Amino acid sequence: MALHLPFDATYLSLPDRFYTRQPATPVSAPSLIAFNHELADRLGLDSGSMTIEEAAEIFSGNAVPETATPFAQVYAGHQFGGFSSQLGDGRALHLGELATFAGRVDVQLKGSGRTPYSRGGDGRAWVGPVIREYLMSCAMDALDIPTTRALAAVTTGDPVLREQGPLPGAVLTRVAASHIRVGTFQYFAARSDKDALQQLTDYTIRRHYPNAKGPAGLLSAVMERQASLIAKWMSVGFIHGVMNTDNVQIAGETIDYGPCAFMDTYHPDTVFSSIDHQGRYAYSNQAPVTHWNLAQFATSLVVIMPDQDAAIEEFTAIINRFPELYQKAWLKAFAPKIGLQPNETASDLVQDLLGVMANAKLDFTNTFAALDETAKTSPEWHVKWRAAGPEDTLWQRTNPHVIPRTHKIEEAIQAATSGDYAPFHQMLKAVSAPFEPLSAFMLPPTDFEKVHQTFCGT
């Protein structure tokens, strides 16, 4: 193959009970939708001589590179508060790891067929969720928010049966710092498998947090990254939609773009996920849920501590620091959006503006991108803000003009379902340059275009 992928797999140094080795299920007629050459360059891959046909074969799973060792990871997780003792990669396979300029990463195929963890599913993906994750992850990367990233998207030539009927199948290639989750720790903790849990803890520290001192240090480091990540989500109006512990990545990246969305009209209680009937993962609940998820991580780590009573006391003190950490991260993310440094005045002004936006049903992204327009919608707030001496160049370069709006994603998916990928590529170009005004992707949806629910990426 023209594209050389120098894979290894340090995760396979862990015991066999961490994963299952198996090949991808072949597909009949793979065809390339998109390949992320910029990401390939960042990974140190020379993709210039790779043909479209070669890319389709590799990233559908049909042609496995010689260096690859495909495997599926096992994990557990709390799903909407209820614990499932065994989950895992039900439709994904890791090809291996790459040692890059920026650090080690996993390369994973999503939609590559059944695994022992499929729980009755077909292990496949259809083109809609693949396009959604590609657009979302590229947008988040362009917004400088830690995220898994899309390297390639391929159609398979095989239909996938869903409630809507047969849909075109697809495979996404995802790159992540790793796919270790809170749920990975929970899997072994639930089995009181101290040996495996200790090995996982040591491996995670070596790979992601080499300066962390033991489980307490790991917990603190993960908590700090999660606080920063969620604050950045909030600052762009992003709603993950399914913040189960199996979707919380230890390295601190956004992972698993299922029923996710960026808000149009601002309201703190906004929910998009079709299965989140109680609003557990509403916009305003994302920080409290993260706090809860981190407590589950701490509970898993207690299992390997020699003095568990003392560990519970120590870990509880660590977890109790989350609200303060998050508030600092929140202010650090939001203060530049109104052109101020993080301080009490900035905090008050942001909170007041969010209140104005909720009451007036203003668009989240467009309001921040054109703050002087608040003189029309809320003259009082505008006067207070201007009195605080905001730096115009700061808020103007901080606030995006373009986000992957849900109604535009749905338009791209509908077109792709019929074999037309032009809207996808147009939107991909727009969300990859979010600070450049592009009117076609800046307008909020009309009442007719509004999407009120999003669905899991299966």
Side-chain angles (χ1 to χ4, degrees):
M1 290 294 176
L3 179 65
H4 177 55
L5 294 162
F7 287 126
D8 60 11
T10 62
Y11 197 80
L12 295 182
S13 67
L14 297 168
D16 290 349
R17 57 191 183 277
F18 279 73
Y19 48 80
T20 298
R21 299 188 193 216
Q22 69 167 74
T25 304
V27 303
S28 63
S31 178
L32 188 68
I33 301 172
F35 182 80
N36 192 336
H37 288 279
E38 180 184 359
L39 175 57
D41 289 344
R42 280 196 261 172
L43 298 176
L45 301 176
D46 182 5
S47 60
S49 59
M50 178 184 64
T51 68
I52 292 175
E53 292 76 17
E54 287 171 336
E57 289 292 319
I58 294 172
F59 298 113
S60 66
N62 275 8
V64 179
E66 291 182 1
T67 55
T69 50
F71 66 93
Q73 288 182 350
V74 67
Y75 46 84
H78 277 91
Q79 298 188 306
F80 289 87
F83 186 64
S84 296
S85 61
Q86 180 171 307
L87 301 169
D89 293 328
R91 59 190 180 101
L93 283 177
H94 298 253
L95 293 179
E97 301 160 19
L98 295 173
T100 77
F101 305 127
R104 181 170 293 275
V105 297
D106 290 352
V107 179
Q108 182 195 69
L109 301 179
K110 290 187 67 178
S112 52
R114 285 181 53 79
T115 77
Y117 317 120
S118 296
R119 297 183 296 160
D122 61 11
R124 291 301 190 186
W126 69 280
V127 74
V130 166
I131 280 181
R132 178 180 288 108
E133 180 156 350
Y134 203 111
L135 290 168
M136 280 287 188
S137 62
C138 287
M140 294 289 264
D141 187 43
L143 290 166
D144 198 28
I145 297 175
T147 180
T148 58
R149 291 159 293 170
L151 180 61
V154 175
T155 54
T156 63
D158 301 316
V160 172
L161 294 178
R162 295 293 182 262
E163 290 182 2
Q164 308 97 303
L167 297 164
V171 177
L172 176 83
T173 301
R174 178 165 75 182
V175 175
S178 83
H179 288 81
I180 302 170
R181 309 155 188 264
V182 168
T184 315
F185 286 80
Q186 289 182 293
Y187 177 82
F188 296 106
R191 289 156 177 76
S192 298
D193 190 341
K194 294 183 180 181
D195 182 59
L197 196 56
Q198 185 66 60
Q199 290 184 69
L200 178 62
T201 301
D202 293 342
Y203 176 85
T204 303
I205 290 173
R206 286 196 306 272
R207 182 160 177 179
H208 294 301
Y209 301 99
N211 295 323
K213 295 181 178 179
L218 176 61
L219 175 61
S220 294
V222 171
M223 184 174 70
E224 289 177 7
R225 284 203 188 168
Q226 288 294 325
S228 175
L229 176 65
I230 305 309
K232 289 180 178 181
W233 287 1
M234 301 293 280
S235 73
V236 293
F238 176 74
I239 303 169
H240 185 279
V242 60
M243 294 174 64
N244 297 330
T245 56
D246 56 295
N247 292 336
V248 179
Q249 187 223 44
I250 294 297
E253 294 177 328
T254 313
I255 192 170
D256 292 332
Y257 291 93
C260 58
F262 282 73
M263 276 193 294
D264 296 306
T265 300
Y266 173 75
H267 195 282
D269 297 332
T270 301
V271 176
F272 279 96
S273 172
S274 63
I275 57 176
D276 190 2
H277 304 299
Q278 305 301 319
R280 178 181 176 87
Y281 300 138
Y283 173 81
S284 59
N285 282 346
Q286 293 186 127
V289 164
T290 299
H291 193 185
W292 190 90
N293 288 342
L294 288 165
Q296 311 318 305
F297 180 44
T299 299
S300 298
L301 292 173
V302 165
V303 174
I304 57 173
M305 301 302 289
D307 185 339
Q308 294 193 2
D309 289 338
I312 290 172
E313 184 175 347
E314 180 183 13
F315 291 176
T316 299
I318 292 172
I319 290 296
N320 285 344
R321 291 177 44 234
F322 178 80
E324 179 183 357
L325 272 177
Y326 170 73
Q327 285 303 319
K328 288 182 178 178
W330 181 93
L331 185 54
K332 183 179 179 181
F334 269 94
K337 290 178 70 68
I338 60 169
L340 298 176
Q341 298 303 309
N343 54 41
E344 187 174 347
T345 298
S347 179
D348 290 344
L349 280 166
V350 171
Q351 294 286 8
D352 289 348
L353 177 59
L354 292 174
V356 168
M357 291 164 62
N359 291 331
K361 299 181 179 180
L362 300 180
D363 184 85
F364 184 94
T365 301
N366 290 348
T367 299
F368 277 105
L371 284 175
D372 271 322
E373 293 298 309
T374 58
K376 301 174 185 176
T377 55
S378 182
E380 183 179 352
W381 184 87
H382 187 268
V383 168
K384 290 180 180 178
W385 171 59
R386 277 297 171 195
E391 182 184 342
D392 286 348
T393 55
L394 177 58
W395 65 262
Q396 288 167 356
R397 70 172 182 265
T398 301
N399 293 305
H401 292 280
V402 174
I403 55 168
R405 293 186 183 268
T406 305
H407 70 292
K408 301 299 289 187
I409 292 177
E410 291 302 319
E411 287 178 10
I413 289 174
Q414 289 298 319
T417 304
S418 302
D420 178 8
Y421 295 99
F424 161 73
H425 285 288
Q426 292 164 4
M427 187 170 185
L428 177 60
K429 183 178 180 180
V431 300
S432 297
F435 300 98
E436 298 296 325
L438 191 59
S439 58
F441 294 93
M442 292 168 57
L443 296 175
T446 64
D447 288 342
F448 178 76
E449 294 173 321
K450 284 182 180 177
V451 177
H452 299 284
Q453 288 188 327
T454 51
F455 298 86
C456 287
T458 56

